[in-house]
Amino acid sequence: AETMTLLIQNNTINAGGGDDRIQFSVADSNGSNDVTISDNTVSNTSSEGIRFFLDDDDNESPDLDLDVVDNTFVSIGDGAVELATRDTATACANVTANSDGAAGSLGPILFDERDGSSISVPQANTTAITTANDGASVTIQTNPITFGAAPCAPTLPSHS
């Protein structure tokens, strides 16, 4: 099984218009994916600021431990964060302490769980996610997600 460890931190991500700023797609893999995105400014997109997609047509069950923490989103079109899972993929997502960098509310944050996949979050409900993310609206599509899960614990990259 493959293991990917990714840290995206302290960046200004602004290419002016266009599609997703940070996009992560795992298809048909049985690997573990540890991803932390923190302390970035993500701006000027007509689509999502951060988008994750996990799919498993081959029943290999990829998994994701994800922290999206302390980021600032400015002029985002479709939403700040989108997490979509399919087939037997599993994801734990800690989306917290993100803001829009200006007056108003950040949003939306979208969780799209389908088929036999699963998404879990440490917050107790959508209101807690909204409160933890500068008033962001939260949308849950297709299947309900699991609230109140153990906190996600993505492994950070080592520099050995």
Side-chain angles (χ1 to χ4, degrees), residues 5-108:
T5 305
L6 178 63
L7 172 64
I8 301 172
Q9 186 175 41
N10 296 322
N11 297 287
T12 299
I13 302 166
N14 175 4
D19 209 351
D20 312 321
R21 288 294 163 247
I22 298 172
Q23 184 171 15
F24 180 82
S25 181
V26 174
D28 304 328
S29 165
N30 65 348
S32 295
N33 302 282
D34 294 329
V35 179
T36 299
I37 301 174
S38 66
D39 303 302
N40 300 288
T41 298
V42 180
S43 59
N44 297 319
T45 178
S46 58
S47 191
E48 292 84 14
I50 299 172
R51 184 175 191 275
F52 284 85
F53 180 77
L54 276 77
D55 176 48
D56 181 31
D57 295 329
D58 296 331
N59 294 317
E60 294 186 30
S61 302
D63 67 63
L64 171 68
D65 277 338
L66 172 66
D67 276 345
V68 177
V69 180
D70 292 323
N71 297 286
T72 301
F73 296 88
V74 179
S75 298
I76 302 297
D78 288 342
V81 178
E82 178 180 335
L83 173 58
T85 58
R86 303 291 186 272
D87 304 311
T88 61
T90 60
C92 176
N94 180 33
V95 180
T96 191
N98 298 290
S99 71
D100 73 348
S105 65
L106 170 74

Side-chain angles (χ1 to χ4, degrees), residues 82-86 110-114 117 119 139 141-142:
E82 178 180 335
L83 173 58
T85 58
R86 303 291 186 272
L110 171 68
F111 298 101
D112 184 7
E113 173 187 299
R114 297 183 190 200
S117 68
I119 297 173
T139 301
Q141 284 187 318
T142 313

